Amino acid sequence: MINTLFLPELREMLADNNHAELSEFCVALHASRTAEFMAGLTSEEISQVFQHTDPDNRSDILSYFDRQKQVEVVSELDRNEAAKLVELLQPDDRVDLLQEVEDDVREELIALMPAEVRRDILRLDQYPEDTAGAMMTTDVTKFSETMSVREAMDALTVQAEDFETIYYLYIVDDENHLRGLVSARQLLTGMRKPTQKLGELMQTDVVAAHVMDDQEEVANKVARMDLLAIPVVDLERRLVGLITHDDVIDVVREEATEDAHRIAAVEPLDQSYLRTSVLTLSWKRGIWLTILFVCALLTAFALEQYESRLKTLYWLVPFIPLIISSGGNSGSQSATLIITALSRKHISVSDWAKVVTRELVMGLLLGVGLATLGLLASWFMINTEPRVIAPEDQPAMEISVDGGETWIANEVGGEVQSRVKQETQSLTHLAFFVVPLTLVLVVMAGTLTGSVLPLIFEKIGLDPAMMSNPFVAGIIDILGIVIYMTVAAWLVGV
Amino acid sequence: MINTLFLPELREMLADNNHAELSEFCVALHASRTAEFMAGLTSEEISQVFQHTDPDNRSDILSYFDRQKQVEVVSELDRNEAAKLVELLQPDDRVDLLQEVEDDVREELIALMPAEVRRDILRLDQYPEDTAGAMMTTDVTKFSETMSVREAMDALTVQAEDFETIYYLYIVDDENHLRGLVSARQLLTGMRKPTQKLGELMQTDVVAAHVMDDQEEVANKVARMDLLAIPVVDLERRLVGLITHDDVIDVVREEATEDAHRIAAVEPLDQSYLRTSVLTLSWKRGIWLTILFVCALLTAFALEQYESRLKTLYWLVPFIPLIISSGGNSGSQSATLIITALSRKHISVSDWAKVVTRELVMGLLLGVGLATLGLLASWFMINTEPRVIAPEDQPAMEISVDGGETWIANEVGGEVQSRVKQETQSLTHLAFFVVPLTLVLVVMAGTLTGSVLPLIFEKIGLDPAMMSNPFVAGIIDILGIVIYMTVAAWLVGV
């Protein structure tokens, strides 16, 4: 978000080096708004504005810039100032930012930080991307069971500003094992009896995430249980970090966007659309386009197998895209419905029988609906199609008056002749039903493939969103051609 | 989520009518887990379990069931008990639940509630779906500027359990106008000087939502500013409600799912996949399948226009699905990228020039990549294709040895002869480039259409997710055919 409303004023204040107004600007608004108004400035101007406010406030504003802007500002600043600024960010934001700056800048900055912060950065860095460990902040305040409610309240009063969350108090034992939690709400009502120990007040059934849990699972858990934050523990249930609700919203949005991209056969982007280079984006699209292209090539080979049939019954050709896209569209509808239902836990693999039944019924309904339209269309198109006339005593002749030209194809050979005759007769009977019947079967094949494939990929542990769509498209394209040609052979007998 | 782990034990406790164990079960765990374990029970069994715990806890557990289960349980219970249970739900959950029960049950339940609750339900009911008003809870605690920090703290201590959020204290004047807010954090640090008035401590730059704001906008605002809750005000900036972070996560997930469905040409569902009836689902898919079908019919008509060209150069036919799907796939990639970037505010309509340039460059890169593959494929397929031989002194003959059969087509007429001769010559030269060149142009047309249409729909105020995809597909299918046939005519000269 860039808001250009105050840019002229800001630039004027900078030109006048107006300390009073600039320092007021930095604190007057919520830091996210200040960041919005500053986002239009160059990184040099931003570092000038920062001279007029204290480091805490600087890092607060910095945290609301997008990653790219943060990197620019940090690279612009004097190394000492930059190190201080980065140090004051939340541990998780800090690590994310440091991963983006140039390697040498990163080394210099880390070298300038206190040993404790340095260790923390290295620890967080070791967790694989998309795990709870990579997502968490290590800035979690711990309380002991023997502390009284009043003592806890006093500690909060003194330090509230420094805590990542004050909404849950996590209680650990001497070896840092998570023992329980007291919510701020419980603490407040606990003040009626201020000598009470946290150990008596705490809930012991604490929902926690493991450091190696997938971030999507963590987000689902937090969302399902309406939590404000979730503690992160290691294998021995030691409290190592905390994930807060705002990180969860980000993950939910990120995962949803990734799913949407995967469904459209784009490898998920690491950055926003405009920040991603054209080459990276081409690569992330190209790999899937190539896979889809190979599937389509198989369709072309399949069509080649039916060359003689298509030449004899040329009127089948214009319907090819219609058949394929009807199957593909219904398949992609099913796949998307199943993928989103799986990711929101509305269904699980064990519901497969119910899902498949529903999809087949829907396939039948949708197929019959489209077939009705298809029947009208084939009636119209076949009736305007030139007929093959084959009197028994002379070679079959095809007379076409298409496009204002007249040309005649003369076929010889008994076999062909009798076949052509057969076609002439059947055109008036069953040909109209080739496209409609194919549509019913192809749409059912589409809903079946589109629903079964995501379930199979989920079952074998692959991401249904990533794997399903190209395969659904590929399978349906080829199946569509085979069904179409088989129905044509069956009904028209070529 | 249904967890069947404890079902046998629960049923045994019910059979024994074991009050001690059942009441322990209802309070031992986080209500969301208790709900998970109970979700496998029938609504009759659930209402039995509920007899063993107090109303507050009942409504807590009830709030974690999915909507359908809630409706079942409420309908199962004695009306008085049900009214009490519903009354204890959060105001927003209450209204959502009441909207789902049968009309007569709803009337009876509302009649049994206190006047204040009844008024509240009617008020919330009046806001249109998907607005901040429909999403908010009216259960917001208000403080006055003249209250001291200590008084506020005491009030919280007494009532913390009853508040929807204790993380922000909203300060209003005598006429309920929102004046400012004090965060729990500020209140805690404010305790260093307990006689201070809230009016001195409060932030006056409060971010608020308007009752009629779209829920997606509200969710975006909360996510962007990392808020725990956002106050909802009316036109006169009177504080009428509150939206909390958990509702925001739900909206983010709901909107993302809706976008995914719209991109896949499914009208968004009001309920989860399995809860939606097959007929409703068929309708929500059928309307878009029909629109797509009509687009595909236009493609069929377009193909019919090129009948004579396709008959003469039959080898063009098998590539039709390939051409169409390459354009369609690259178009749907672009459309999805732009739609998701728009909905996450990564781009806006004013970036159109940048977006279009990027997409054209990408279209060129992707098109050239696919064209390379296409060149190999056409080399292979045209080389294995039967040739048309046309010596000048005899009719053109096409000899095909496809599928083990031999048949000969004899063409007469000077115009045709010369054209067939021309084809025979050019096949060795330019024919191999028809498919590759078409691919480059079609993929560029795809990326262009896929990026421009969502921007246009956003500009004119239509939902880009809903409107773009069918149109992108329809336009690209027809464009693909026209480009293909034009390139063929140009290069091979038919």
Side-chain angles (χ1 to χ4, degrees), chain A residues 309-310 313-320 385 434-435 484-485 488:
Chain A
R309 198 172 298 171
L310 285 170
L313 300 175
Y314 178 79
W315 57 269
L316 291 171
V317 170
F319 291 106
I320 292 173
E385 172 83 1
V434 172
V435 169
Y484 189 27
M485 292 298 112

Side-chain angles (χ1 to χ4, degrees), chain A residues 430-450:
Chain A
L430 291 166
F432 300 115
F433 294 99
V434 172
V435 169
L437 182 57
T438 304
L439 280 170
V440 174
L441 296 174
V442 163
V443 170
M444 288 183 75
T447 56
L448 187 65
T449 319

Side-chain angles (χ1 to χ4, degrees), chain A residues 1 29-30 32-33 36 64 153 157-158 160 163-164 166-167 185 188-189 191-192 205 220 223-228 245-246 248-249 252-254 256-257 260-261 264-266 272-274 276 278 281-282 285-286 289-290 292-293 296-297 300-301 303-304 307 310-311 314 318 321-322 324-326 329-330 333-334 336-338 340 344 346-347 358-359 361-362 365-366 370 373-374 377 380-381 385 398 402 405 407 410 415 419 439 447, chain B residues 1 29-30 32-33 36 64 153 157-158 160 163-164 166-167 185 188-189 191-192 205 220 223-228 245-246 248-249 252-254 256-257 260-261 264-266 269 272-274 276 278 281-282 285-286 289-290 292-293 296-297 300-301 303-304 307 310-311 314 318 321-322 324-326 329-330 333-334 336-338 340 344 346-347 358-359 361-362 365-366 370 373-374 377 380-381 385 398 402 405 410 415 419 439 447:
Chain A
M1 285 295 287
L29 302 167
H30 186 283
S32 70
R33 283 220 184 151
E36 226 179 281
Y64 287 99
M153 200 61 148
T157 307
V158 179
F163 293 166
E164 169 79 1
I166 58 161
Y167 314 116
R185 211 179 276 251
L188 279 171
T189 51
M191 277 297 279
R192 293 173 209 162
D205 172 50
N220 278 334
R224 201 171 65 241
M225 307 186 95
D226 292 347
L227 302 174
L228 281 166
H245 69 104
D246 47 323
V248 168
I249 292 188
V252 167
R253 289 156 66 102
E254 193 185 311
T257 308
H261 288 175
V266 179
S272 70
Y273 173 78
L274 284 180
T276 309
V278 168
L281 209 46
S282 299
R285 299 170 64 159
L289 272 191
T290 306
L292 292 166
F293 186 83
L297 265 185
F301 286 119
L303 271 177
E304 258 214 326
E307 175 165 355
L310 285 170
K311 272 183 171 158
Y314 178 79
L322 182 84
I324 288 184
S325 75
S326 296
N329 291 329
S330 57
Q333 286 184 333
S334 298
T336 304
L337 283 167
I338 303 305
T340 49
R344 295 196 60 182
H346 289 165
I347 60 169
R358 286 167 63 93
E359 288 296 325
V361 173
M362 262 185 279
L365 289 172
L366 293 170
L370 293 190
L373 294 173
F380 178 73
M381 290 184 72
E385 172 83 1
E398 185 180 345
D402 203 51
E405 296 171 287
W407 60 288
N410 216 348
E415 200 191 354
R419 212 189 283 146
L439 280 170
T447 56
Chain B
M1 286 292 287
L29 301 166
H30 187 282
S32 70
R33 283 217 185 152
E36 226 179 284
Y64 287 100
M153 200 62 145
T157 307
V158 178
F163 293 168
E164 169 79 1
I166 57 161
Y167 313 116
R185 213 178 276 252
L188 278 171
T189 51
M191 277 298 280
R192 293 173 210 162
D205 173 48
N220 278 335
R224 199 170 68 241
M225 305 185 101
D226 292 344
L227 302 175
L228 281 166
H245 69 104
D246 47 322
V248 168
I249 293 187
V252 167
R253 290 157 64 101
E254 192 184 311
T257 308
H261 288 176
V266 180
L269 314 182
S272 69
Y273 173 77
L274 285 181
T276 310
V278 168
L281 209 44
S282 299
R285 298 169 67 159
L289 273 190
T290 306
L292 292 165
F293 187 85
L297 265 185
F301 286 119
L303 271 176
E304 259 213 327
E307 175 166 354
L310 285 170
K311 274 183 170 157
Y314 178 79
L322 184 85
I324 288 184
S325 75
S326 295
N329 291 329
S330 57
Q333 286 184 332
S334 298
T336 305
L337 283 167
I338 303 307
T340 50
R344 295 195 58 182
H346 290 165
I347 60 171
R358 285 168 62 93
E359 288 295 324
V361 173
M362 263 186 276
L365 289 172
L366 293 170
L370 292 190
L373 293 174
F380 178 73
M381 289 184 72
E385 172 83 2
E398 186 181 348
D402 202 51
E405 297 173 284
N410 217 347
E415 200 191 353
R419 210 190 285 146
L439 280 171
T447 56

Side-chain angles (χ1 to χ4, degrees), chain B residues 205-220:
Chain B
D205 173 48
V206 181
V207 180
H210 181 260
V211 268
M212 294 302 286
D213 280 353
D214 182 80
Q215 62 173 8
E216 194 171 2
E217 290 307 312
V218 177
N220 278 335

Side-chain angles (χ1 to χ4, degrees), chain B residues 161-344:
Chain B
E161 285 149 355
D162 304 330
F163 293 168
E164 169 79 1
T165 178
I166 57 161
Y167 313 116
Y168 299 124
L169 275 52
Y170 296 102
I171 321 286
V172 294
D173 64 16
D174 295 342
E175 281 161 331
N176 197 24
H177 295 105
L178 181 62
R179 299 273 303 147
L181 80 77
V182 172
S183 71
R185 213 178 276 252
Q186 285 174 305
L187 188 72
L188 278 171
T189 51
M191 277 298 280
R192 293 173 210 162
K193 202 180 149 197
T195 54
Q196 204 178 175
K197 301 282 176 223
L198 293 185
E200 298 164 44
L201 200 64
M202 71 184 183
Q203 315 163 29
T204 50
D205 173 48
V206 181
V207 180
H210 181 260
V211 268
M212 294 302 286
D213 280 353
D214 182 80
Q215 62 173 8
E216 194 171 2
E217 290 307 312
V218 177
N220 278 335
K221 205 183 257 185
V222 171
R224 199 170 68 241
M225 305 185 101
D226 292 344
L227 302 175
L228 281 166
I230 190 168
V232 183
V233 296
D234 64 11
L235 275 177
E236 274 110 59
R237 213 174 159 80
R238 279 185 301 235
L239 180 60
V240 290
L242 180 73
I243 292 170
T244 52
H245 69 104
D246 47 322
D247 298 322
V248 168
I249 293 187
D250 292 344
V251 166
V252 167
R253 290 157 64 101
E254 192 184 311
E255 295 283 343
T257 308
E258 279 186 7
D259 276 1
H261 288 176
R262 283 183 171 138
I263 290 172
V266 180
E267 269 294 293
L269 314 182
D270 301 321
Q271 291 189 296
S272 69
Y273 173 77
L274 285 181
R275 298 264 180 228
T276 310
S277 81
V278 168
L279 274 181
T280 310
L281 209 44
S282 299
W283 168 249
K284 280 168 184 287
R285 298 169 67 159
I287 36 176
W288 285 107
L289 273 190
T290 306
I291 295 173
L292 292 165
F293 187 85
V294 172
C295 290
L297 265 185
L298 295 177
T299 314
F301 286 119
L303 271 176
E304 259 213 327
Q305 303 312 307
Y306 297 104
E307 175 166 354
S308 65
R309 199 173 297 172
L310 285 170
K311 274 183 170 157
T312 321
L313 300 175
Y314 178 79
W315 57 269
L316 292 171
V317 170
F319 291 106
I320 291 173
L322 184 85
I323 302 289
I324 288 184
S325 75
S326 295
N329 291 329
S330 57
S332 109
Q333 286 184 332
S334 298
T336 305
L337 283 167
I338 303 307
I339 291 166
T340 50
L342 280 171
S343 89
R344 295 195 58 182

